[in-house]
Amino acid sequence: MSFVIDLKGYKMQQLINIMKLLRVECPWDRAQTPESLTRYAIEEAYEVEDAVRVGNTEDIKNELGDLLLQVVFQAQMHSEQNLFNFQDVVQAITEKLIRRHPHVFEKEKWQ
């Protein structure tokens, strides 16, 4: 499997491509399951909370990245099972935010 990685400016699709590559090339990443990673998602969420409480912007940024990795990793594993992919996750949260904020988003604006 071949992926082109542009190191000049990272983009979301590049992160997804890196995760796909790791699932093929890295034995540890390949061995993971959705169930085996749940503890890491919880751990990363607590690390975000701690970084926010401390107020270190660099740590907050890095911990949010670690939490995002857990979302991308879970989405990739579910994509491999043809259940859903990262774009489906983004679609679901976008629809939820619009649905939960009718006072902000008029239905006509988003169709």
Side-chain angles (χ1 to χ4, degrees):
M1 196 172 272
S2 175
F3 297 98
V4 176
I5 307 298
D6 174 11
L7 299 179
K8 293 179 183 166
Y10 301 112
K11 295 182 174 61
M12 195 66 221
Q13 188 57 52
Q14 290 170 311
L15 176 57
I16 293 167
N17 288 346
I18 289 169
M19 188 72 256
K20 288 178 183 178
L21 179 63
L22 291 174
R23 288 284 291 167
V24 172
E25 298 293 331
C26 175
W28 187 88
D29 288 307
R30 190 171 46 245
Q32 300 311 304
T33 66
E35 294 80 13
S36 72
L37 288 180
T38 57
R39 67 184 178 122
Y40 297 111
I42 293 166
E43 179 182 311
E44 296 303 345
Y46 280 121
E47 289 177 7
V48 168
E49 178 197 26
D50 185 55
V52 170
R53 287 182 188 274
V54 170
N56 183 307
T57 305
E58 190 68 20
D59 288 347
I60 295 167
K61 177 181 70 175
N62 289 330
E63 295 304 338
L64 286 171
D66 291 345
L67 188 57
L68 177 59
L69 171 62
Q70 295 307 308
V71 174
V72 171
F73 210 149
Q74 287 285 345
Q76 177 57 35
M77 289 184 290
H78 286 86
S79 176
E80 291 165 6
Q81 299 173 38
N82 295 316
L83 298 172
F84 62 84
N85 61 31
F86 183 79
Q87 283 72 24
D88 296 325
V89 173
V90 172
Q91 180 73 28
I93 190 59
T94 301
E95 290 173 359
K96 183 184 283 187
L97 287 171
I98 293 168
R99 186 174 61 252
R100 288 186 175 178
H101 296 85
H103 58 286
V104 176
F105 301 102
E106 295 173 11
K107 188 173 183 178
E108 294 79 29
K109 287 184 182 179
W110 299 99
Q111 289 185 347

